[in-house]
Amino acid sequence: MNKTKISWTDYTSNPIRARDKRTRKIGWWCSHASTGCLNCYSETLNKRYGNQVPYHAQEAEHIEFVFSEQELAKWKKLPAGSKVFAFDMLDLFHEKMSFELIWNVWMFIANECSHLTIQILTKRAARMSEFLQHWNATRHKKFYPEVLPNVWLGVSVENQKAAHERIPLLLQTPAAIRFLSCEPLLGDLNLFQWFSPCGYYCDHSDEYLNSPQHSHLEGWEVWFGGHHPDRSRIDWCICGGESGPHYREMNLDWARSIRDQCVAANVPFFFKQQSAYRSETNPTLDGVEWHQFPSNA
């Protein structure tokens, strides 16, 4: 359990660790899922302080995941209202992670963590959806709800390809809060089709959307004609550039576009940082600190 400098949460915690079957060393482990994983900070830390197993799929046979009840017990002692970014060092929904392990975490959250907000982020949206179907089919419906009200589920969306692959699956997954982490942002993103069309007539005029600085929103009104399909919505969007010695530069226009799409759709927008060597060194966008959270945060 760590008090973290990540600005959109309070604590990070990893109650599941990865053990090298050969050396018995404990650390973390994952495997690269997409280009957003290229400069994985977890892999860097694992090389220094963990089991030193590379984050490649062919290494899966050397890894076993182990559950730490001691780490979970620390969650019960956290102040009420704390936000916990769970499993920041690995992906809870990795293909190698058994449903039994995930189930243990889910049951602990359901029974012991009503005072906390648990934030879980994945690049494996299909497996997350599969587990939640499993949970709903096998839970004791008298005692456990389909949706745990304090669990926020998110997917990483570093480029348009990732958006098309992961967001539809996220929207099919039952969750109290669904969020996007557009970090590290590696390209321009069009998120219109996945934002619930509620913000146009509520909060913004034609003049706002059709002004030159928001010309990229042209066509947005198509989604607000009163005949849009009933769909679940994205509740929160985080945006940030890559950090570290090999960071890839984020074009600020990409971040501005996401900001404007969020404002137009009334989706809370959180700008974490510009791309830089050190994390959280440039936390403003055009001189403004965008630190919005979902309304029930």
Side-chain angles (χ1 to χ4, degrees):
M1 176 71 65
N2 294 300
K3 182 70 175 174
T4 182
K5 294 182 180 179
I6 298 174
S7 50
W8 49 265
T9 194
D10 300 313
Y11 298 89
T12 58
S13 180
N14 292 274
I16 295 176
R17 304 292 295 276
R19 181 164 56 207
D20 187 336
K21 296 177 184 177
R22 301 160 298 183
T23 66
R24 312 305 290 173
K25 286 185 177 180
I26 294 286
W28 309 275
W29 187 79
C30 195
S31 57
H32 293 195
S34 62
T35 186
C37 302
L38 180 63
N39 298 318
C40 177
Y41 72 88
S42 172
E43 185 172 18
T44 299
L45 291 174
N46 191 53
K47 288 177 181 177
R48 295 177 185 171
Y49 309 115
N51 55 45
Q52 286 88 48
V53 179
Y55 281 23
H56 303 311
Q58 60 267 31
E59 298 290 339
E61 62 180 292
H62 303 309
I63 285 294
E64 57 185 357
F65 288 115
V66 292
F67 186 72
S68 173
E69 293 185 0
Q70 293 82 3
E71 179 68 13
L72 273 183
K74 297 176 184 178
W75 293 15
K76 295 192 290 185
K77 300 178 182 179
L78 292 176
S82 296
K83 295 185 290 292
V84 179
F85 177 20
F87 308 101
D88 66 309
M89 295 292 286
L90 50 78
D91 194 327
L92 179 63
F93 299 104
H94 192 280
E95 297 80 5
K96 186 174 173 60
M97 192 78 66
S98 71
F99 276 3
E100 180 182 0
L101 280 176
I102 305 173
W103 182 275
N104 289 339
V105 172
W106 231 251
M107 288 294 291
F108 186 88
I109 294 171
N111 291 321
E112 305 288 350
C113 296
S114 61
H115 64 300
L116 303 175
T117 293
I118 308 300
Q119 301 160 311
I120 299 175
L121 183 62
T122 185
K123 287 183 172 69
R124 292 160 172 88
R127 192 128 196 281
M128 178 172 67
S129 180
E130 183 184 357
F131 172 77
L132 267 296
Q133 293 174 29
H134 170 71
W135 163 263
N136 189 41
T138 55
R139 67 188 167 90
H140 194 308
K141 293 178 173 56
K142 182 178 179 180
F143 298 109
Y144 300 107
E146 178 183 7
V147 175
L148 299 186
N150 59 327
V151 176
W152 299 6
L153 297 178
V155 294
S156 298
V157 180
E158 67 266 29
N159 55 27
Q160 198 68 44
K161 181 177 184 291
H164 281 288
E165 291 175 352
R166 297 168 186 162
I167 296 177
L169 290 164
L170 175 64
L171 291 174
Q172 296 169 20
T173 303
I177 293 291
R178 298 181 182 89
F179 69 97
L180 307 180
S181 176
C182 305
E183 183 188 10
L185 186 59
L186 301 178
D188 201 14
L189 281 179
N190 183 332
L191 301 171
F192 289 164
Q193 61 188 291
W194 300 294
F195 282 167
S196 177
C198 66
Y200 179 83
Y201 293 127
C202 298
D203 297 307
H204 302 292
S205 65
D206 289 345
E207 288 77 15
Y208 173 85
L209 291 174
N210 295 326
S211 60
Q213 64 267 38
H214 301 104
S215 59
H216 56 276
L217 297 176
E218 183 179 355
W220 182 241
E221 66 275 4
V222 171
W223 295 97
F224 299 97
H227 303 289
H228 57 268
D230 184 17
R231 61 162 71 79
S232 300
R233 65 169 285 142
I234 298 299
D235 301 289
W236 189 34
C237 188
I238 303 166
C239 175
E242 193 166 42
S243 60
H246 306 294
Y247 73 86
R248 291 162 284 182
E249 191 73 34
M250 176 182 67
N251 187 327
L252 286 181
D253 283 343
W254 302 341
R256 293 181 182 112
S257 175
I258 294 174
R259 174 199 62 194
D260 293 345
Q261 291 174 64
C262 287
V263 169
N266 206 24
V267 173
F269 175 72
F270 194 106
F271 185 75
K272 181 171 176 280
Q273 66 190 35
Q274 298 179 29
S275 49
Y277 181 86
R278 294 189 180 279
S279 179
E280 312 261 0
T281 53
N282 297 300
T284 63
L285 182 60
D286 296 329
V288 177
E289 186 179 83
W290 291 84
H291 281 188
Q292 298 177 344
F293 286 91
S295 58
N296 68 341

